[in-house]
Amino acid sequence: MYALSFFATLLSVASALPGTGTGVSAKRIIGPCTDTIHPHGHIIASPNTTAVAGLQLTYDAIVLTLFDLLFLAGRATLTDSGIYSQWDFSNGGVGVKPDCGPTSIWLNIDTVAPAYKPLFWNSTQITKTWSGAYGQNLVALGTSTYTKSGTFLACKLPVSSATQTSPWYLFLVTNSLTTLDSADSLKGFDTKSCVKTNLFIETPTYLTEISP
């Protein structure tokens, strides 16, 4: 019964995500913000010298760990078709904000992991130490347990055949002295695939509303 409730919750969180895409489109919006022009953008991996360059931040509802199960979380990933949305940077957060409505999901840090901290999405804002704005790199400010960091690790899961693909799962790097093979949070990942990256919040384009 709990499992059914869990997967229903994951589906409801996933359904809150806005549509993705790589271009500017026009759409009609019904509500109090009909006449507002809304900034939209991707959060992308940079610089362009890494294997993940240009890939976009998005969401994967796969359950990888007990943490995901307990917190009804979806993992943060990089793909070539990421979230294209307004972003809510209020109160030290990074949230996906629909054009007409409250922020739907928030990007959070699993602070339990000591070195490579998984990033996950949740409908509750747990992490309030992000520093982010359009046109800047995303940075996790320092806390009592780790120092300021704008470096992330992107890793893939092992695949069983050449025809299968895996998104890049994201981790915040807070202690680069820990080897990848010895990090508990990377167990089950293909550590040979892991690359370090930054996350850049692109300067926004604007969606405008049109009549039907």
Side-chain angles (χ1 to χ4, degrees):
M1 190 71 179
Y2 176 78
L4 290 175
S5 173
F6 164 65
F7 284 111
T9 303
L10 274 185
L11 287 173
S12 67
V13 173
S15 67
L17 284 169
T20 61
T22 57
V24 178
S25 61
K27 63 179 180 179
R28 185 183 182 210
I29 300 207
I30 301 174
C33 56
T34 301
D35 297 325
T36 304
I37 298 176
H38 309 291
H40 287 67
H42 296 101
I43 296 180
I44 60 176
S46 68
N48 59 8
T49 54
T50 69
V52 295
L55 296 183
Q56 302 155 3
L57 179 65
T58 190
Y59 176 101
D60 191 345
I62 189 171
V63 177
L64 297 177
T65 66
L66 179 61
F67 179 90
D68 298 337
L69 185 65
L70 292 176
F71 287 89
L72 302 177
R75 298 296 290 266
T77 58
L78 293 172
T79 70
D80 59 3
S81 182
I83 299 169
Y84 182 67
S85 174
Q86 291 189 90
W87 296 96
D88 184 351
F89 304 114
S90 62
N91 197 29
V94 176
V96 176
K97 184 173 176 58
D99 291 335
C100 290
T103 299
S104 56
I105 56 171
W106 295 92
L107 183 65
N108 294 299
I109 303 168
D110 175 4
T111 57
V112 175
Y116 303 100
K117 302 180 183 301
L119 303 187
F120 67 96
W121 296 99
N122 193 280
S123 58
T124 300
Q125 183 185 2
I126 299 171
T127 299
K128 300 180 178 180
T129 52
W130 289 117
S131 174
Y134 291 113
Q136 298 180 11
N137 282 342
L138 181 63
V139 173
L141 300 178
T143 70
S144 59
T145 58
Y146 58 89
T147 59
K148 178 180 177 179
S149 176
T151 302
F152 300 88
L153 192 72
C155 301
K156 286 192 168 189
L157 291 170
V159 294
S160 57
S161 74
T163 60
Q164 291 183 319
T165 60
S166 166
W168 297 84
Y169 292 85
L170 285 169
F171 304 80
L172 177 68
V173 178
T174 57
N175 180 3
S176 59
L177 298 179
T178 302
T179 63
L180 301 184
D181 290 336
S182 66
D184 288 341
S185 59
L186 298 179
K187 299 299 184 187
F189 286 89
D190 177 8
T191 56
K192 291 182 175 61
S193 73
C194 297
V195 293
K196 289 183 179 179
T197 187
N198 302 124
L199 295 178
F200 178 73
I201 306 158
E202 67 181 2
T203 302
T205 52
Y206 290 84
L207 292 186
T208 57
E209 294 74 27
I210 60 175
S211 300

